[in-house]
Amino acid sequence: DSGVTQTPKHLITATGQRVTLRCSPRSGDLSVYWYQQSLDQGLQFLIQYYNGEERAKGNILERFSAQQFPDLHSELNLSSLELGDSALYFCASSTSTGKGEKLFFGSGTQLSVL
Amino acid sequence: GESVGLHLPTLSVQEGDNSIINCAYSNSASDYFIWYKQESGKGPQFIIDIRSNMDKRQGQRVTVLLNKTVKHLSLQIAATQPGDSAVYFCAEWLSNIPTFGRGTSLIVHP
């Protein structure tokens, strides 16, 4: 068990809908990362937060947004969902930020857009 | 599991054999590399890391080799066990975010 908790484990929704994925980092970790894992793209970095502030942005669509709350949990919001958004979404956390930080991953949220 | 259906290179080995998983990285300026293991239904898990000032690093049953000349990493697993069956990812750090490769699926036959 990595200590990172993601909910829900599975989410089935329809095109055009909006969903929220939740992540609780390991106790004491200040940094949260979101990754998307799809069949043809592997693990793609979306966004990183550190102590409540956005630190880095990857190939995150404008329809997607995230935030990290004062208690350090994070939410990834996906709106106007399309079939191609179906993927496994991972959250990871690390103690701090910067090169060499060990990322601890949650078990992911499997999103199916029908 | 989630790895089924992923369009990944696959390595099949017999239990007890040594496995070598290869990874090419993209940026010659990358100076820190990590290998992760992802078992079915789970998130990636850290295995071993190596900095660019090293060519080789050993862990428990695993060895990572780094060839900076050709931008190539390999993960060697000694005496592969069925529990080693998973998808293995290499990741390179150039900036402050690790960039993952597409992964290799390792299948260990008893």
Side-chain angles (χ1 to χ4, degrees):
Chain A
D1 182 11
S2 67
V4 178
T5 304
Q6 287 188 250
T7 56
K9 284 187 73 67
H10 301 278
L11 200 48
I12 302 174
T13 188
T15 55
Q17 296 298 304
R18 174 190 166 96
V19 296
T20 297
L21 313 184
R22 184 188 166 102
C23 170
S24 294
R26 287 189 324 154
S27 177
D29 283 359
L30 298 178
S31 195
V32 169
Y33 311 73
W34 285 98
Y35 283 83
Q36 179 192 58
Q37 185 175 43
S38 57
L39 289 178
D40 56 351
Q41 292 291 322
L43 267 169
Q44 297 288 309
F45 169 68
L46 296 177
I47 198 162
Q48 180 209 4
Y49 282 83
Y50 175 72
N51 205 18
E53 293 189 3
E54 182 185 305
R55 268 302 173 102
K57 220 167 185 176
N59 296 325
I60 187 166
L61 299 171
E62 283 190 16
R63 300 183 285 110
F64 295 1
S65 64
Q67 53 184 324
Q68 186 180 28
F69 295 85
D71 68 352
L72 301 176
H73 92 271
S74 178
E75 292 181 355
L76 179 67
N77 301 296
L78 314 176
S79 61
S80 303
L81 284 167
E82 301 175 0
L83 296 177
D85 297 327
S86 295
L88 197 49
Y89 291 84
F90 284 108
C91 167
S93 73
S94 64
T95 308
S96 184
T97 185
K99 194 177 295 186
E101 283 291 316
K102 250 181 221 167
L103 270 61
F104 293 85
F105 283 80
S107 296
T109 293
Q110 179 69 61
L111 174 67
S112 298
V113 182
L114 306 178
Chain B
E2 281 76 8
S3 64
V4 174
L6 281 171
H7 308 305
L8 298 172
T10 300
L11 176 65
S12 288
V13 300
Q14 291 295 129
E15 183 178 358
D17 286 352
N18 296 333
S19 302
I20 300 176
I21 300 170
N22 296 303
C23 175
Y25 62 93
S26 58
N27 199 308
S28 55
S30 294
D31 57 3
Y32 179 64
F33 305 88
I34 309 177
W35 280 97
Y36 278 86
K37 172 186 180 183
Q38 185 178 13
E39 295 175 270
S40 181
K42 297 183 180 178
Q45 219 179 343
F46 173 89
I47 303 174
I48 192 168
D49 59 357
I50 189 168
R51 298 196 180 272
S52 60
N53 60 353
M54 303 170 72
D55 297 323
K56 179 179 178 177
R57 188 157 190 229
Q58 286 185 288
Q60 190 177 17
R61 279 201 309 119
V62 295
T63 301
V64 57
L65 299 178
L66 175 61
N67 185 330
K68 296 180 284 293
T69 304
V70 294
K71 293 189 288 185
H72 183 269
L73 271 172
S74 67
L75 178 71
Q76 300 178 359
I77 305 173
T80 315
Q81 302 167 0
D84 295 326
S85 292
V87 176
Y88 289 81
F89 294 94
C90 67
E92 60 180 303
W93 288 74
L94 176 58
S95 60
N96 288 335
I97 300 295
T99 301
F100 287 80
R102 292 200 61 238
T104 296
S105 178
L106 175 65
I107 299 171
V108 182
H109 301 281

